[in-house]
Amino acid sequence: MLSEERIALEELRKTVREETERRGRPLTACVVTFGCQMNERDSEKLRGILLAAGFEGSDSEEADVVIFNTCTVRENANTRLYGHLGHLNSMKREHPDKIIGICGCMMQEKDEVEKIRTKYRFVDIVFGTYNIYRLAAVLNERMVSGKRVIEVWDKEKGIVEDLPVKRDVPWKSGVNIMFGCNNFCSYCIVPYVRGRERSREPKDILREVESLAKDGVIEVMLLGQNVNSYGKTLDEPMSFAELLEAVCKVLGIERVRFMTSHPKDLSDELIAVMARNPKVCRHLHLPLQSGSSRILKAMNRRYDKEGYLALTERIRAAMPDISLTTDIIVGFPGETEEDFEETLDVVRRVRFDSAFTFIYSPRTGTPAASMPDQVPQEVIKERFARLLDLVQTIGSKQSLRDVGRTLPALVESVDPETPGRVTGRLGNNVCVHFEGDESLIGTIVNVRLDQAHGFYYIGTAVL
Ligand code: SAH
Ligand code: SF4
Ligand code: F3S
């Protein structure tokens, strides 16, 4: 943490203490997250700062301070935020002391900030993705001056280490290994709102993983928009495969995952490291986006259909039991019926365990938004339904493949619906419900998978 941020945190702590005394009760704060794991992790840092400043954590939007950490990857993410804001406006009329903040990816878009500035005047603080660590300073300024504070930077600065963090669960944690993205896929807004790719120093990452392990974490997820290009910008370059192997060596860490892999940068070295390290989960999320080489080119993905298929074959040859999942966009500009058939063909050949399917959403400022031949909504909807059907049929057949096997599951909760049962997560991220009690939470248990039910299994603990 920078020394100015320590000072800001100290000042906020003083303000919160005074305000707590004035109101005669603790002040509460809630962070609402939209978007991906990167945003989830940022929210844990925001909560860390708020708790360190003396707020009491809350899950309710009725809290004294509510911060929305926004996503803008598709239009519906934006629509959801405005839905919440409408609701909060009426709450604020009844409680004028309430403080509402917005940060995250959407606030890196000038038009959105302008809209908040002029039409959502009840929003008190606004900051962006590059300065989340400024929360203490920005919030304190608002609390002391009573004036709204809008502080958005248009460019990334260095990486700030050692922010306080409040993890959602004690036994697993995300770990940022890099920020930003340099790929500029033609449909995607992330590079514009998260800035250029920059990797954390391996020593900082390992120090964080070691301290998480000491704190009881047994599973880490290494996070980046394109983890396969980790380390390229470091003074002493290091590959993602090397980093992954080093993380596996940390004592106490039993499981390692990572998100997201870009097919163009997935090396044979990485496949080999995964195959020889049992701590690495047998799961790879490998976004396909489209199965048509022509569309992939227009998307600027820099691989083609054959390259993707060959890659998945190499991965399966090294790890026959691996579970492959993916992201697919339907209705990219110019997508014809033949292009879409190519996508279905890849889905049939690769047999993904599951797939996130998205309707193409034009994002202002991206090249695809101004491409000709935008696909009509009714065509997209019809294709989307066909794709979803295929993905689900194949996914549920794939899950039968593991019935009868005994696999390790990390127990996450007691099953709220069936007393005497717990829910664990397998290496491939699928849930299994089995008999057990809450003493198992946060531990890894070997579970025989008895029945597959599409998105989950019923199993029996093998002790
Ligand atoms: N960095 C990751 C993905 C980040 S965004 C990667 O490259 O794979 C998560 C997913 O959202 C993407 O994989 C893509 O399928 C989807 N997505 C991104 N922009 C989109 C858009 N404009 N419309 C629809 N889906 C989009
Ligand atoms: Fe977006 Fe492509 Fe970067 Fe993923 S790799 S974040 S899809 S630009
Ligand atoms: Fe959304 Fe930002 Fe993640 S736009 S998907 S929250 S990087």
Side-chain angles (χ1 to χ4, degrees):
M1 225 171 154
L2 310 173
S3 60
E4 62 198 90
E5 295 318 314
R6 276 186 218 288
I7 297 168
L9 185 57
E10 207 40 64
E11 284 173 353
L12 177 62
R13 200 177 283 150
K14 184 163 159 275
T15 309
V16 172
R17 204 183 309 127
E18 287 166 4
E19 197 53 27
T20 304
E21 274 167 27
R22 191 178 72 80
R23 298 195 200 182
R25 62 166 180 86
L27 295 189
T28 53
C30 164
V31 180
V32 182
T33 316
F34 301 96
C36 63
Q37 275 93 351
M38 243 76 60
N39 253 23
E40 296 281 353
R41 185 63 180 157
D42 283 351
S43 288
E44 291 185 340
K45 294 176 188 166
L46 296 171
R47 282 188 203 105
I49 293 172
L50 292 166
L51 293 193
F55 285 97
E56 217 169 67
S58 161
D59 289 334
S60 159
E61 289 177 26
E62 306 219 332
D64 298 305
V65 173
V66 181
I67 312 276
F68 290 100
N69 190 7
T70 61
C71 170
T72 185
V73 77
R74 287 169 292 275
E75 188 58 34
N76 55 9
N78 300 42
T79 317
R80 275 179 66 207
L81 173 76
Y82 287 111
H84 280 257
L85 285 185
H87 186 54
L88 280 216
N89 189 15
S90 42
M91 281 194 206
K92 187 155 175 170
R93 279 204 208 100
E94 281 172 37
H95 302 282
D97 279 345
K98 191 179 183 73
I99 293 180
I100 300 170
I102 314 184
C103 64
C105 295
M106 217 172 131
M107 294 301 102
Q108 292 301 141
E109 290 179 278
K110 287 203 170 64
D111 292 353
E112 298 293 348
V113 175
E114 218 26 55
K115 189 162 156 187
I116 299 287
R117 190 196 297 275
T118 53
K119 301 207 176 102
Y120 291 80
R121 303 196 62 84
F122 59 92
V123 172
D124 300 280
I125 58 176
V126 172
F127 52 106
T129 57
Y130 306 131
N131 59 344
I132 62 156
Y133 63 90
R134 293 269 305 150
L135 169 63
V138 169
L139 180 55
N140 190 54
E141 192 181 332
R142 164 64 185 79
M143 289 177 80
V144 172
S145 72
K147 296 198 187 106
R148 73 197 308 216
V149 185
I150 300 183
E151 184 186 293
V152 179
W153 299 350
D154 57 9
K155 212 175 162 338
E156 68 279 0
K157 288 198 189 160
I159 295 171
V160 177
E161 294 289 342
D162 299 322
L163 290 176
V165 174
K166 171 72 179 79
R167 286 199 307 280
D168 287 346
V169 292
W171 61 85
K172 70 173 181 183
S173 179
V175 174
N176 298 107
I177 63 167
M178 61 206 296
F179 300 91
C181 181
N182 283 352
N183 288 316
F184 291 95
C185 301
S186 63
Y187 51 82
C188 184
I189 199 164
V190 171
Y192 304 87
V193 296
R194 288 278 178 172
R196 294 295 60 73
E197 181 181 297
R198 50 225 186 266
S199 295
R200 280 177 77 193
E201 288 292 337
K203 66 169 177 14
D204 291 330
I205 297 170
L206 291 169
R207 195 161 47 91
E208 181 177 353
V209 175
E210 280 158 12
S211 91
L212 287 168
K214 284 203 189 89
D215 202 27
V217 166
I218 60 174
E219 176 179 309
V220 289
M221 180 182 275
L222 308 179
L223 296 172
Q225 290 299 351
N226 177 8
V227 292
N228 301 125
S229 79
Y230 170 79
K232 289 184 183 160
T233 54
L234 293 172
D235 291 340
E236 284 175 47
M238 181 190 211
S239 71
F240 176 60
E242 287 169 322
L243 177 75
L244 184 64
E245 194 138 60
V247 170
C248 285
K249 292 202 178 105
V250 174
L251 220 65
I253 296 299
E254 295 182 37
R255 260 184 177 183
V256 185
R257 306 178 179 277
F258 51 89
M259 275 280 242
T260 301
S261 284
H262 194 305
K264 80 175 164 63
D265 294 313
L266 201 153
S267 64
D268 288 340
E269 183 199 7
L270 177 65
I271 300 176
V273 166
M274 287 182 77
R276 69 167 176 259
N277 276 286
K279 285 188 184 178
V280 182
C281 286
R282 290 292 176 260
H283 174 211
L284 201 50
H285 186 68
L286 198 58
L288 166 68
Q289 315 301 5
S290 168
S292 152
S293 296
R294 197 180 71 82
I295 294 292
L296 286 168
K297 193 158 198 315
M299 285 177 161
N300 192 28
R301 289 291 287 178
R302 285 172 279 171
Y303 54 86
D304 60 11
K305 180 184 180 187
E306 286 65 37
Y308 188 92
L309 288 170
L311 176 62
T312 55
E313 277 165 24
R314 285 204 298 282
I315 295 167
R316 283 242 165 87
M319 293 166 282
D321 58 347
I322 197 155
S323 148
L324 292 175
T325 59
T326 199
D327 292 346
I328 299 170
I329 299 176
V330 181
F332 183 84
E335 184 190 74
T336 61
E337 178 60 25
E338 290 73 49
D339 293 316
F340 178 65
E341 289 286 343
E342 299 274 13
T343 299
L344 296 180
D345 186 45
V346 176
V347 171
R348 278 190 209 101
R349 291 214 219 168
V350 177
R351 306 191 65 75
F352 295 106
D353 285 57
S354 69
F356 292 108
T357 49
F358 304 109
I359 287 180
Y360 167 70
S361 170
R363 308 314 289 135
T364 313
T366 62
S370 50
M371 283 181 186
D373 303 326
Q374 301 280 327
V375 184
Q377 279 306 310
E378 59 279 10
V379 177
I380 298 188
K381 291 224 167 88
E382 187 267 339
R383 286 182 193 161
F384 186 82
R386 277 157 67 202
L387 175 65
L388 195 63
D389 189 48
L390 181 67
V391 159
Q392 287 177 345
T393 310
I394 292 179
S396 56
K397 283 199 187 130
Q398 282 297 97
S399 65
L400 290 175
R401 165 188 77 156
D402 284 335
V403 170
R405 290 182 71 195
T406 298
L407 293 172
L410 202 172
V411 182
E412 299 201 328
S413 57
V414 283
D415 185 345
E417 271 141 45
T418 322
R421 256 196 205 167
V422 290
T423 302
R425 206 170 276 279
L426 299 167
N428 66 4
N429 240 337
V430 176
C431 285
V432 55
H433 307 290
F434 59 98
E435 243 175 66
D437 60 38
E438 59 185 357
S439 67
L440 295 176
I441 292 178
T443 66
I444 292 184
V445 176
N446 284 325
V447 184
R448 192 183 62 231
L449 309 178
D450 299 322
Q451 298 161 28
H453 288 262
F455 298 111
Y456 65 92
Y457 292 98
I458 303 288
T460 315
V462 180
L463 300 171

